[in-house]
């Protein structure tokens, strides 16, 4: 047991717990019994709060442990997280402004609400909502994996159900204050989380290289390690086979990110378009941080850090690389701060994700199919309850199923959420696609994406299915035809699935138009996509 | 330049700057180890520098498009409140 670290961790954890409960009264509106308030914090967050909130939401604890862990084991290929988060903001800049405006003008809370309004189709909205919920669930479970990596490094590495107890306690606390305070809780806690994270990473990237003989020595150690392994895919640079995978994975991940309901929740909670525009330039500060953090994977190689063996599964867990590096290289009290940063870093996104999933459930399934006459108060009540169900579902995932399953599901989730791009992002600009084109495209992209993922074994050959997201182009099989037969170049599965989705959507749209099939009613107007915080006739927040 | 079309899309040529950071997807540009900076191979420091490129692109687009009216003129919809757009900040 590492007592000093544990005490620092518990104190900081206690601090954010208090903040979580106090948050209910922070910038309080007239009521918390409305999704605009509970689920979107009153739609009035300014630039700073939005920066901390989206930063806390996008750069999760899992990112902090998994990206360096990937660099540790694969090298350059793990660095895709950097170009991904660099191109993310320029790509999202304009669509986010449009979805903020139309959501503010029409009172939309979720991406599926927008699809419902844009196409007047509850089927399409349901598909988008279910995709969002299913893709978010394993993401929440992964935050637990990140939190548990820290707890186990702290010495709370018991076996069986006792080993999971600290995790369970942490999550019950989180569930209760999210239930009470809604989105205001993670927004307030994000301040503490991000300040701690910045502090830890900046100290780590300055202090550790000095201690270990500079970046030159660190890269040399990493190079020697990769040269010594028999695996062909690792190394300090990309090779001929994984460059396309690197680029398509970065692009696919960037396109997918703001389709995730939790990222959009942070955007919709902001006060106006200026807040979003400012943040598109300010959020990359986190990308820089992530890039430096990724390099800590190489630092861990140079420092000779070994992954901890998880007592619950009996396998070495590479996700403990970064916590173990901190434990080995930092003085005990600062390692405690670092662990708290990662631990609290799990709570913020987990809270926002559960709120986003709860909003989707309430608005697009409960109100649409179960209780059509639900009042805003009923909606808020249902969403609070749903947020509890979602969180305990995620705990059950980690407790009763191999954590590897969550990692597989998250991989699948990224491919899945990308399939909502035509119905959500493209629909922001044009209604050219037909409802049934979008539905057909979704089915095709989703179906083929899943089949491709199912057939990819893991790099070490231990698992036959869902082993990675990189497909060898030579194995691409179009009803028995191999268009790229023989090549060993790899590509991101989600990218192929999205192209499939778009091709099918275009073909079915042309067909549906030819047959003059009814294409729903658009409730939005062109002007809705440009309203801003000071616009006349803005819909009042939290009234209906 | 920013007149609302029938589809409600408004366009400024400054928006094209947002495409520049996509250069980070062209791996052959930077998939090399030299020249190194502070012991860091080119592959790594070039992409870290890419963060500044992204910030620059979004910041310029923000600055160059912010004085435009945020609500398109739609007949009688243009009243005193819409004229105040952006003046408060």
């Amino acid at each position: 047991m590492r007592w000093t670290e544990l005490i620092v961790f518990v104190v900081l954890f206690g601090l954010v717990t208090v903040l979580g409960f106090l948050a209910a009264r922070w910038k309080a509106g007239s009521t918390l019994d409305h999704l605009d308030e509970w689920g979107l914090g009153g739609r009035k967050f300014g630039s700073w709060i939005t920066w901390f909130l989206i930063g806390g939401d996008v750069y999760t604890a899992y990112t902090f442990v998994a990206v360096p862990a990937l660099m540790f084991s694969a090298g350059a290929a793990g660095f895709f997280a950097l170009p991904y988060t660099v191109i993310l903001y320029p790509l999202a800049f304009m669509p986010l402004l449009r979805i903020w405006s139309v959501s503010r003008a029409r009172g939309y809370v979720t991406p599926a609400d927008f699809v419902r309004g844009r196409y007047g189709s509850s089927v399409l909205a349901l598909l988008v909502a279910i995709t969002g919920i299913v893709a978010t669930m394993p993401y929440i479970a992964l935050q637990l994996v990140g939190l548990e990596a820290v707890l186990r490094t702290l010495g709370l590495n018991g076996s069986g159900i006792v080993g999971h107890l600290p995790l369970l306690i942490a999550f019950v606390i989180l569930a209760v204050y999210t239930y009470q305070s809604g989105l205001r809780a993670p927004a307030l806690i994000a301040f503490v989380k991000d300040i701690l994270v910045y502090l830890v990473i900046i100290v780590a990237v300055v202090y550790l290289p000095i201690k270990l003989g500079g970046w030159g020595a660190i890269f040399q150690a990493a190079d020697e390690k990769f040269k010594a392994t028999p695996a062909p895919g690792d190394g300090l640079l990309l090779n001929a086979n994984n460059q396309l995978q690197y680029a398509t994975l970065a692009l696919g991940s960037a396109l997918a990110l703001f389709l995730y309901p939790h990222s959009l929740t942070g955007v919709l909670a902001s006060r106006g378009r200026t807040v979003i525009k400012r943040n598109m330039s300010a959020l990359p500060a986190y990308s820089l941080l992530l890039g430096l953090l990724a390099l800590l994977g190489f630092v861990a190689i140079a420092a000779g850090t070994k992954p901890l063996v998880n007592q619950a599964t009996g396998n070495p867990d590479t996700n403990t690389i970064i916590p173990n590096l901190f434990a080995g290289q930092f003085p005990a009290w600062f390692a405690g701060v670092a662990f708290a940063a990662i631990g609290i870093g799990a709570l913020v996104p987990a809270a926002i994700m559960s709120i986003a999933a709860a909003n989707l459930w309430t608005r697009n399934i409960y109100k649409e199919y179960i209780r059509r006459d639900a009042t805003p108060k009923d909606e808020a009540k249902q969403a609070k309850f749903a947020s509890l169900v979602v969180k305990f579902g995620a705990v059950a995932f980690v407790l009763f199923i191999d954590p590897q399953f969550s990692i597989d599901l998250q991989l699948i989730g990224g491919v899945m959420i990308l399939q909502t791009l035509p119905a959500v992002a493209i629909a922001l600009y044009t209604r050219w696609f037909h409802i049934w084109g979008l539905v057909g495209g979704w089915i095709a992209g989703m179906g083929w994406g899943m089949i491709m993922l199912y057939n990819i074994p893991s790099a070490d050959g231990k698992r036959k299915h869902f082993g990675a997201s990189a497909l060898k182009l030579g194995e691409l099989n179009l009803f028995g035809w191999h268009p790229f037969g023989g090549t060993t170049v790899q590509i991101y599965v989600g990218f192929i699935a999205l192209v499939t989705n778009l091709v099918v959507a275009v073909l079915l749209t042309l067909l549906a138009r030819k047959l003059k099939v009814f294409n729903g009613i658009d409730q939005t107007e062109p002007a809705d996509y440009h309203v801003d915080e000071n616009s006349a006739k803005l819909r009042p927040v939290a009234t209906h | 330049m920013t007149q609302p079309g029938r589809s409600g899309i408004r366009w400024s040529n400054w928006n094209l700057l947002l495409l520049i950071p996509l250069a980070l997807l062209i791996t052959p540009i930077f998939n090399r180890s030299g020249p190194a900076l502070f012991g860091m191979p080119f592959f790594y420091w070039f992409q870290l520098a890419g963060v500044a490129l992204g910030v620059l692109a979004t910041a310029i687009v923000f600055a160059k498009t912010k004085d435009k009216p945020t609500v398109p003129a739609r007949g009688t919809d243009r009243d005193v409140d819409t004229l105040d757009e952006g003046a408060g900040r």
Side-chain angles (χ1 to χ4, degrees):
Chain A
M1 197 69 73
R2 302 175 189 273
W3 285 108
T4 316
E5 288 97 322
L6 190 61
I7 291 166
V8 174
F9 182 87
V10 169
V11 167
L12 287 168
F13 201 89
L15 170 74
V16 299
T17 304
V18 174
L19 281 180
F21 283 106
L22 289 180
R25 276 182 280 168
W26 179 49
K27 289 174 168 263
S30 51
T31 173
L32 252 179
D33 289 329
H34 192 291
L35 278 192
D36 276 354
E37 291 292 340
W38 183 84
L40 289 179
R43 295 184 187 257
K44 62 184 171 197
F45 290 157
S47 301
W48 279 103
I49 303 174
T50 303
W51 187 69
F52 279 115
L53 182 67
I54 300 182
D57 188 14
V58 170
Y59 303 85
T60 69
Y62 180 70
T63 321
F64 288 153
V65 297
V67 169
L70 192 59
M71 297 281 288
F72 179 86
S73 48
F79 211 57
F80 86 93
L82 187 67
Y84 153 31
T85 52
V86 168
I87 63 170
L88 171 63
Y89 302 105
L91 278 179
F93 191 92
M94 291 190 290
L96 285 185
L97 294 175
R98 283 178 79 82
I99 200 162
W100 182 89
S101 289
V102 72
S103 302
R104 185 68 184 81
R106 297 279 157 182
Y108 302 147
V109 179
T110 67
D113 279 351
F114 162 68
V115 173
R116 177 86 174 82
R118 181 65 150 163
Y119 275 100
S121 163
S122 56
V123 176
L124 194 57
L126 180 69
L127 285 184
V128 172
I130 291 177
T131 314
I133 294 172
V134 174
T136 306
M137 287 286 291
Y139 220 153
I140 303 175
L142 279 192
Q143 302 313 315
L144 295 171
V145 172
L147 180 57
E148 210 178 37
V150 170
L151 291 171
R152 289 193 183 279
T153 316
L154 276 171
L156 303 169
N157 191 8
S159 54
I161 202 83
V162 180
H164 290 299
L165 202 60
L167 183 72
L168 199 60
I169 296 169
F171 233 53
V172 168
I173 296 172
L174 171 74
V176 175
Y177 65 65
T178 311
Y179 181 91
Q180 195 208 327
S181 309
L183 192 65
R184 285 185 174 82
L188 199 54
I189 295 172
F191 280 81
V192 180
K193 176 226 151 181
D194 292 343
I195 290 169
L196 286 179
V197 166
Y198 274 99
L199 178 75
V200 169
I201 308 292
I202 290 168
V203 169
V205 297
V206 174
Y207 173 75
L208 294 180
I210 293 174
K211 198 174 165 187
L212 296 166
W215 283 110
I218 289 167
F219 277 97
Q220 203 180 345
D223 197 28
E224 279 161 16
K225 179 200 156 173
F226 294 132
K227 280 198 176 124
T229 58
D234 62 8
L236 275 192
L237 293 178
L238 299 171
N239 54 49
N241 289 333
N242 62 11
Q243 289 195 39
L244 185 63
Q245 150 77 2
Y246 186 88
T248 49
L249 181 58
L251 178 64
S253 307
L255 292 174
L257 190 96
F258 279 106
L259 294 168
Y260 271 108
H262 65 272
S263 340
L264 216 47
T265 298
V267 172
L268 296 187
S270 66
R271 192 179 60 212
R273 292 166 69 102
T274 311
V275 169
I276 298 171
K277 288 184 190 170
R278 277 203 194 113
N279 268 288
M280 292 299 108
S281 302
L283 281 166
Y286 287 92
S287 309
L288 190 63
L289 196 74
L290 180 64
L292 294 172
L293 181 83
L295 294 180
L296 289 185
F298 291 166
V299 174
I301 295 175
T305 309
K306 295 268 176 291
L308 201 72
V309 173
N310 182 328
Q311 294 295 337
T313 61
N315 295 323
D317 180 1
T318 46
N319 284 331
T320 57
I321 278 290
I322 286 303
N324 244 357
L325 171 72
F326 290 166
Q329 301 292 325
F330 283 146
W333 68 272
F334 194 74
V337 174
F339 292 160
I342 300 175
I344 298 167
L347 301 183
V348 173
I352 305 172
M353 287 165 190
S354 69
I355 289 170
N359 287 347
L360 278 171
W361 160 260
T362 307
R363 297 277 298 191
N364 309 107
I365 298 176
Y366 175 73
K367 190 174 162 68
E368 190 76 48
Y369 292 98
I370 301 173
R371 265 195 66 189
R372 289 184 150 260
D373 60 344
T375 63
K377 198 173 172 173
D378 294 334
E379 285 184 28
K381 215 168 143 187
Q382 179 67 209
K384 286 178 171 184
F385 177 69
S387 82
L388 290 183
V389 174
V390 166
K391 273 204 266 315
F392 287 103
V395 173
F397 249 92
V398 175
L399 248 52
F400 302 115
I401 305 171
D402 185 349
Q404 184 59 47
F405 193 57
S406 306
I407 298 170
D408 291 353
L409 275 179
Q410 205 264 345
L411 186 80
I412 299 168
V415 176
M416 287 175 78
I417 202 73
L418 204 49
Q419 305 314 315
T420 64
L421 182 118
V424 179
I426 296 181
L428 281 171
Y429 286 92
T430 173
R431 229 172 149 277
W432 183 83
F433 280 112
H434 193 281
I435 296 173
W436 296 111
L438 292 171
V439 170
W442 183 92
I443 293 171
M446 197 68 92
W448 204 25
M450 293 308 109
I451 292 172
M452 286 186 286
L453 282 175
Y454 181 81
N455 287 325
I456 298 175
S458 65
D460 57 12
K462 282 186 190 147
R463 291 175 306 122
K464 277 187 155 140
H465 305 297
F466 300 115
S469 64
L471 178 83
K472 288 196 185 75
L473 262 181
E475 288 170 12
L476 189 67
N477 185 336
L478 206 62
F479 303 111
W481 174 52
H482 294 261
F484 304 99
T487 171
T488 50
V489 170
Q490 295 173 325
I491 191 168
Y492 175 48
V493 165
F495 191 77
I496 296 181
L498 180 62
V499 171
T500 311
N501 182 336
L502 287 168
V503 169
V504 172
V506 167
L507 293 177
L508 286 180
T509 296
L510 292 173
L511 183 69
R513 283 175 181 269
K514 190 135 189 129
L515 300 174
K516 299 209 162 43
V517 183
F518 177 60
N519 193 18
I521 292 167
D522 186 2
Q523 289 159 1
T524 67
E525 293 170 35
D528 289 344
Y529 295 87
H530 301 285
V531 302
D532 203 349
E533 52 191 299
N534 303 318
S535 301
K537 296 178 200 159
L538 256 197
R539 200 185 163 95
V541 169
T543 48
H544 41 178
Chain B
M1 193 160 71
T2 56
Q3 285 307 305
R6 262 190 325 129
S7 59
I9 308 277
R10 283 184 294 150
W11 179 253
S12 160
N13 284 334
W14 287 107
N15 292 344
L16 290 172
L17 284 181
L18 297 175
L19 296 176
I20 294 175
L22 290 179
L24 279 189
L25 295 179
I26 310 169
T27 51
I29 299 178
F30 52 83
N31 192 34
R32 65 191 80 222
S33 45
L37 185 72
F38 306 121
M40 229 181 254
F42 187 74
F43 180 82
Y44 297 90
W45 70 257
F46 178 83
Q47 292 183 81
L48 283 170
V51 175
L53 190 70
V55 172
L56 213 59
T58 50
I60 293 174
V61 174
F62 172 43
K64 291 293 179 186
T65 58
K66 79 172 160 187
D67 293 325
K68 308 282 161 39
T70 47
V71 174
R74 269 203 312 148
T76 54
D77 264 1
R78 176 155 266 217
D79 57 17
V80 177
D81 286 349
T82 26
L83 290 177
D84 278 347
E85 281 300 326
R89 273 158 281 123

